[in-house]
Amino acid sequence: MRISNKCSMALHILVLLAEFTDQKLTSEQIAKSVGCNPVMVRNLLLKLKEAGLVATRRGIGGSVLMKSPEDITIWMVYQAVDASSFDGFIGLHPNPSLQCPVGKNIYSLLENPYGRIKDGMREAMEAITLQQLLDDYDINMSQSGSPPS
Amino acid sequence: MRISNKCSMALHILVLLAEFTDQKLTSEQIAKSVGCNPVMVRNLLLKLKEAGLVATRRGIGGSVLMKSPEDITIWMVYQAVDASSFDGFIGLHPNPSLQCPVGKNIYSLLENPYGRIKDGMREAMEAITLQQLLDDYDINMSQSGSPPS
DNA sequence: ATACGATGTAACTATTGAAATTACAAGAGA
DNA sequence: TCTCTTGTAATTTCAATAGTTACATCGTAT
């Protein structure tokens, strides 16, 4: 298993929502900025909504952040949009021999070490907030810019 | 990008080599235990050899560990067999809009946070040795067993 | 009340990357 | 020299991911 582009896309979306609070951003506009399909954006927004990070509006359209950027960690975003990839994001070979004492035990052998690796990763993700990204953004962009295109 | 099965397979191979030092293990036998193709095993052994972790013998066949299990970390193994996946193992969407100020900067925005996540992962990997796996193995397997099948 | 523009959601297709497979050259004994 | 094994490239298969199409549903404005 593995970590897809979804986390990066979701962070991109959240940065957009945080930066352009003054205007309505539709999935179409967001997709332009992210460089992907609007349906993908909608699916991501749905997941973020289920996690309570954003609110979307049917009919009129547009999405808004529902938490302060200091309270949104990368871990929350990742869990929201790609949770299933975490458990087992280090690939396991699927057919170890049950006849071999090593093959029979390899999964349980790797469980603890891999768990520690994932812990290290999770802790790092929990320590980074959306606000930190925004701070970097403000540093990189002294002048304000216009949204998508 | 992502972490393939190679790391798990390579660890499996190293555990085999460490446990069955008394007999010659060919890529064919190892493949039986790992449950994969012998060519894949050879490719992994080649990489492990380049990294100085094992030695292989043409003609006569067989592979042996070249370092003490205490001196082999998961990080070394991972780097040996799947290094290229690490830089960028968190997927990035490939076409952010350069017209949008966020899209234009998203890569540099994510660089630092993602670097910290990878650091967390790398540090955890560096802290786990093959010997620790072997210790777990000995706990799980009080009785000795026979190799592959 | 109805038309319109947006989201919500399923189904399908295309694309990509990993693993398996095939094939064969080359080294090291017996 | 024959045979077994490793070394290595090329090809095929397969699964996962992203993109696409299609359409129902909702809210608002006219």
Side-chain angles (χ1 to χ4, degrees):
Chain A
M1 298 294 169
R2 40 237 24 178
I3 297 184
S4 67
N5 300 351
K6 286 180 194 157
C7 182
S8 302
M9 289 175 163
L11 288 170
H12 185 143
I13 292 172
L14 294 176
V15 172
L16 282 175
L17 295 183
E19 283 295 318
F20 301 108
T21 48
D22 53 329
Q23 51 203 283
K24 186 180 85 171
L25 290 179
T26 67
S27 62
E28 192 95 26
Q29 293 174 291
I30 295 174
K32 280 246 178 61
S33 172
V34 174
C36 74
N37 198 281
V39 176
M40 186 128 287
V41 171
R42 282 182 223 145
N43 285 329
L44 291 171
L45 282 170
L46 274 236
K47 301 260 188 65
L48 293 171
K49 181 185 183 180
E50 282 168 21
L53 303 185
V54 306
T56 59
R57 288 181 303 179
R58 288 183 89 136
I60 182 169
S63 306
V64 291
L65 277 185
M66 289 301 277
K67 276 181 185 287
S68 150
E70 296 98 31
D71 297 330
I72 298 180
T73 65
I74 290 192
W75 174 250
M76 292 165 72
V77 176
Y78 171 55
Q79 283 298 100
V81 299
D82 201 18
S84 67
S85 78
F86 185 66
D87 175 63
F89 86 101
I90 305 180
L92 292 171
H93 46 302
N95 299 309
S97 166
L98 302 178
Q99 266 64 56
C100 169
V102 172
K104 192 167 52 186
N105 289 287
I106 190 70
Y107 287 171
S108 58
L109 267 192
L110 293 176
E111 189 175 338
N112 179 29
Y114 282 7
R116 284 163 63 188
I117 294 167
K118 289 195 292 182
D119 286 347
M121 192 172 133
R122 179 173 44 70
E123 281 158 22
M125 283 184 149
E126 284 171 342
I128 304 167
T129 66
L130 179 59
Q131 184 60 52
Q132 292 171 42
L133 294 206
L134 296 175
D135 291 344
D136 276 357
Y137 179 80
D138 292 335
I139 290 167
N140 290 339
M141 301 282 307
S142 319
Q143 76 282 28
S144 78
S146 45
S149 90
Chain B
M1 299 295 170
R2 42 241 17 178
I3 295 185
S4 68
N5 300 351
K6 285 179 193 156
C7 183
S8 302
M9 289 174 164
L11 289 170
H12 186 143
I13 292 171
L14 294 175
V15 172
L16 281 176
L17 294 183
E19 283 294 317
F20 301 109
T21 48
D22 53 330
Q23 51 204 282
K24 186 180 84 170
L25 291 179
T26 67
S27 62
E28 191 93 26
Q29 293 174 292
I30 294 174
K32 280 247 178 62
S33 172
V34 174
C36 74
N37 199 281
V39 176
M40 185 126 291
V41 172
R42 283 181 224 146
N43 285 330
L44 291 171
L45 282 170
L46 274 236
K47 301 262 188 65
L48 293 171
K49 181 186 184 177
E50 282 169 20
L53 303 186
V54 306
T56 59
R57 289 180 302 178
R58 287 182 90 136
I60 181 169
S63 305
V64 291
L65 276 186
M66 289 300 280
K67 276 182 185 285
S68 150
E70 296 98 31
D71 298 330
I72 298 180
T73 65
I74 291 191
W75 174 250
M76 292 165 72
V77 176
Y78 172 54
Q79 282 298 100
V81 299
D82 201 18
S84 67
S85 79
F86 185 66
D87 175 62
F89 86 101
I90 306 179
L92 292 171
H93 45 302
N95 300 309
S97 167
L98 302 178
Q99 267 65 56
C100 170
V102 172
K104 192 167 50 185
N105 289 287
I106 191 71
Y107 287 170
S108 58
L109 268 192
L110 293 175
E111 190 175 336
N112 178 28
Y114 282 7
R116 285 164 62 189
I117 294 167
K118 290 195 291 182
D119 286 347
M121 193 173 132
R122 180 173 43 71
E123 281 158 23
M125 283 182 149
E126 284 171 341
I128 304 168
T129 66
L130 179 59
Q131 184 60 53
Q132 291 172 42
L133 294 205
L134 296 175
D135 291 344
D136 276 356
Y137 178 80
D138 292 334
I139 291 167
N140 289 340
M141 300 283 307
S142 317
Q143 76 281 27
S144 78
S146 45
S149 91

